[in-house]
Amino acid sequence: MKKKRNAIISALLLLAVLVLIMVLERILPPTHIALTVLKKGCIYSLVAVSMNLLNGFTGLFSLGQAGFMLIGAYTYAVLTIPVADRASVYQYFDGGIIQFSVPVFVGILAAGILAAVFAWLIGLPVLRLKSDYLAIATLGFAEIIRAFFQWDKLGVVTNGSNMLRKYPTFSSVLFPFIVCGICIAIMVLMINSSYGRAFRAIRDDEIAAEAMGINLAKHKRMAFCVSSFFAGVGGALLAMYQTSIQAMTFKSAMTYEILLIVVIGGLGSVTGSCIASFLFIACSEWWLRFLDTEMYIGDFKVPLLRTGFRKVVFSIIIMVIVLFARKGIMGNKEFSIDGICNFFKNLGKKKKEAKS
C-alpha cells in the first residue's frame, strides 16, 4: 500500500513538473536563459547519471565521458543531416560519402549503440586496469578519438575539422526532458536490479564479490558499455541543443565538469547527480554571469568585477561544498517521498521539544 501511494505521488510530481515546463515555454521567450538552463541541465543530468553508474555504483574511475559523447554527437549528426543539405555541409569533401538520412529517434539510438560498441572494444584491454591507471587510459582514449574525428582522411564521414550542421534539432524543452527521463529511469531500474547489486558488490570489495560468484570482467564490461551508451545519447542531445558541433567542443574539460557534478551531487546518488546538474548549469550560465560585467555605483567602479571573475567565485563555491559536504549534496542517498515525510516529522518533533 505504501509503495503504491509513493508511486502515485511520484507520478503526480512528475506530471506537475511537465506542466510547469509547458507553462514556462508559453510565458518565456524561446531565448530566455531559464529555458537554456532547463535544456542543458537535463542533458548534463543524463550524462552525470551515466558517469555515476560507472564511478559511483561500480567503482570504476573512468574519465572518457567526453569521448563517448563526441561519438554519440557525430553519429547522430552524420546520420540525420538531410540529403539535400549534405553538399553544403560537406563542401570540402564532395558532399560526403553517406547519402541517406534516418529519423531523429533512430539517430539517437544509433548514437548510443555506436558509443557502446566503442566502449566494448576499448573495455577489453583497459578494464583490466584499476583506479588512476583506468582514469588515465580512458582520458587518453577521449583525446585520441577527438583527434581521430578531425582527421582529414575521415572527412568524407566526419567533415574533418569543420562543423556539422543542418541536422534536426529540438525547440521544445519537453523533448530532452522526456528522452533524458526515460534513459535515467532505465538506469535506475538497472541499479535496483540484481545487476545493480552486483555492481555495488564490485565497488565495495572485488575479492568478496568474486568469491560470491560474480563474474568481474562481465559486470565491469556491462557497466562500462551501459554508461557509454547513455553518454552517447547525451552527446546526441547536446548536438541537438547546440545546433552545430565540432570535435574541439568535446575537450577533457567537459569530462571534468561532469565529474564535478557527480562529486557535488554525491557518488552513488542518482537524484544527487540530477540536482547538481541543474545547480551547476544555473550557476555557470545564469546566476553568476553578472560577475563577468564591470559595474559602477555612481563614479565608483566596483572592484574585481571583470571577465573571468565568475569562474573564480564559482571555484570558491565548489571548494566550500567539497570541504564542508565531502559526500556531496545527497551523499549516497536518494531523494524520496518517505525521506521528505520523515524530514517534516523530525522537524515537527524538534519544534515540540524546543517549546517544551
Side-chain angles (χ1 to χ4, degrees), residues 21-223:
I21 292 169
M22 291 173 67
V23 170
L24 287 175
E25 278 195 302
R26 295 272 185 178
I27 296 172
L28 301 176
T31 55
H32 196 278
I33 190 65
L35 298 180
T36 301
V37 169
L38 288 173
K39 291 175 186 176
K40 196 171 180 181
C42 74
I43 294 168
Y44 266 59
S45 65
L46 170 60
V47 182
V49 172
S50 73
M51 191 176 201
N52 209 345
L53 173 67
L54 196 61
N55 292 21
F57 288 96
T58 315
L60 298 175
F61 188 27
S62 170
L63 292 177
Q65 221 69 1
F68 296 116
M69 290 176 70
L70 184 151
I71 292 169
Y74 266 75
T75 301
Y76 171 79
V78 168
L79 292 179
T80 57
I81 295 173
V83 176
D85 295 324
R86 287 186 179 271
S88 60
V89 174
Y90 291 88
Q91 55 183 327
Y92 301 108
F93 299 97
D94 298 324
I97 198 172
I98 298 175
Q99 293 299 321
F100 64 89
S101 61
V102 300
V104 169
F105 283 104
V106 175
I108 292 173
L109 187 62
I113 291 171
L114 192 61
V117 169
F118 268 86
W120 185 81
L121 293 172
I122 294 157
L124 291 174
V126 304
L127 289 179
R128 298 180 183 184
L129 304 172
K130 294 182 180 180
S131 188
D132 299 342
Y133 299 103
L134 176 60
I136 293 167
T138 50
L139 182 62
F141 152 73
E143 291 300 307
I144 290 167
I145 204 73
R146 182 164 60 86
F148 182 68
F149 271 60
Q150 294 179 93
W151 188 30
D152 283 344
K153 297 292 184 182
L154 202 64
V156 290
V157 178
T158 64
N159 207 22
S161 58
N162 304 299
M163 287 186 185
L164 286 175
R165 52 197 173 84
K166 295 188 178 182
Y167 49 79
T169 60
F170 56 79
S171 56
S172 173
V173 185
L174 284 176
F175 182 85
F177 259 90
I178 291 169
V179 175
C180 292
I182 292 169
C183 292
I184 291 172
I186 292 170
M187 281 188 278
V188 169
L189 289 172
M190 187 174 192
I191 289 166
N192 293 328
S193 69
S194 59
Y195 292 110
R197 290 191 288 273
F199 294 159
R200 283 191 286 266
I202 293 170
R203 176 196 64 190
D204 295 337
D205 193 327
E206 286 192 11
I207 297 172
E210 191 171 24
M212 293 171 64
I214 295 172
N215 188 325
L216 297 184
K218 174 187 172 183
H219 284 85
K220 282 183 179 181
R221 199 176 301 119
M222 182 186 296

Side-chain angles (χ1 to χ4, degrees), residues 274-291:
C274 294
I275 293 167
S277 297
F278 286 100
L279 289 176
F280 178 85
I281 298 299
C283 286
S284 59
E285 299 285 341
W286 187 7
W287 296 338
L288 300 180
R289 278 287 178 185
F290 73 95
L291 296 173

Side-chain angles (χ1 to χ4, degrees), residues 2 4 25 41-42 187 197 232 256 272 276 314 328-329 340 353:
K2 194 175 183 180
K4 187 177 180 181
E25 278 195 302
C42 74
M187 281 188 278
R197 290 191 288 273
Y256 300 146
F314 191 59
I329 296 169
I340 298 170
E353 289 173 0

